Structures are given as C-alpha cells and as structure tokens.
Amino acid sequence: MGTSDGDLTLKVRGQAIEGWTDVQVTMGVERCPNDFKLSLTEKFPSSGKEGPRSVLCNPGDACTVLLGGDVVVTGYIDRYNPSIDARQHMIGIVGRGKCQDLVDCSVEWQNMQVANCDVLAIAKKLAAP
C-alpha cells in the first residue's frame, strides 16, 4: 500500500501506520507545539502478505507525522487510548511536536526572577538542559 499525496502516516517504533478513521493535525506560526490526534481500528493494513498488523506504541515514544511525503510534525506520543464497545475496538493516539519540551519544562532562575534578558536569552536558558 503506497502513500498518496493526501494520506497521513505516523512513523513510530519502526512502524509506518496508515488507515486512519479520524485525523486532526494542528499547526501554526502562533502555536507551540504543533499537535495531532489520530484514531483507527486496532489493526491497520500492511503492505505485505502478513495481513493486518497491530499498532505498537507507548507514551513518550518518538514519532514523525507525514502528510503525503512531507514531515509535518516531529515529536512524541503523549497518549495511547484504546477503547472497546460492542461493535468495535478503536485506538486513539495523541501527540505533540518537539517544542513540547520547552512548553513542559521548568527552570530555576538565579534569585527567582528574570532580569535583563531578551527572548533569545530566555529560550537558551530553557533549552540548555
């Protein structure tokens, strides 16, 4: 199964997962980090003779989201949500871009205040660890 220009592929743990039932990717200049929310059935189609494969990923796994052949998010899986009811077994995968490291971090400033710093200096201090 090849990827056409509009197909979304999630690459995680050596898998290229396709066949989504619901896709949401949010990106923007004023958004930090970019994020995605994807849903699919428990099994997804494979390109070989082995038949459908199970999705294997965990929160914290590094991942890449591609739209067609273009990388649109490089980041991490935040949540892996399996759900089951009388008719189906679905999986939801939620993640964010690598900028989440800056959004989620904390830093210790000397004297507990930011003084005489521009935005670049603050970003460098946050990103240093």
Side-chain angles (χ1 to χ4, degrees), residues 9-17 20 61-66 77:
T9 303
L10 174 67
K11 291 189 175 183
V12 60
R13 296 181 121 201
Q15 304 172 94
I17 305 168
W20 304 101
D61 284 347
C63 66
T64 306
V65 177
L66 294 94
I77 303 294

Side-chain angles (χ1 to χ4, degrees), residues 25-36 72-76 78 95-105:
V25 178
T26 309
M27 303 167 39
V29 173
E30 296 179 0
R31 289 191 56 89
C32 182
N34 296 332
D35 58 55
F36 60 91
V72 292
V73 178
T74 300
Y76 308 100
D78 283 336
R96 296 180 292 160
K98 285 187 173 183
C99 288
Q100 77 178 24
D101 292 339
L102 292 176
V103 172
D104 294 349
C105 72

Side-chain angles (χ1 to χ4, degrees), residues 3-71:
T3 302
S4 68
D5 288 340
D7 288 343
L8 186 134
T9 303
L10 174 67
K11 291 189 175 183
V12 60
R13 296 181 121 201
Q15 304 172 94
I17 305 168
E18 298 174 323
W20 304 101
T21 57
D22 189 38
V23 171
Q24 178 182 333
V25 178
T26 309
M27 303 167 39
V29 173
E30 296 179 0
R31 289 191 56 89
C32 182
N34 296 332
D35 58 55
F36 60 91
K37 183 177 181 181
L38 312 168
S39 299
L40 75 160
T41 59
E42 179 184 19
K43 304 280 187 179
F44 70 97
S46 66
S47 58
K49 296 179 183 178
E50 67 274 3
R53 298 184 297 172
S54 294
V55 175
L56 302 172
C57 65
N58 294 305
D61 284 347
C63 66
T64 306
V65 177
L66 294 94
L67 187 56
D70 298 325
V71 175

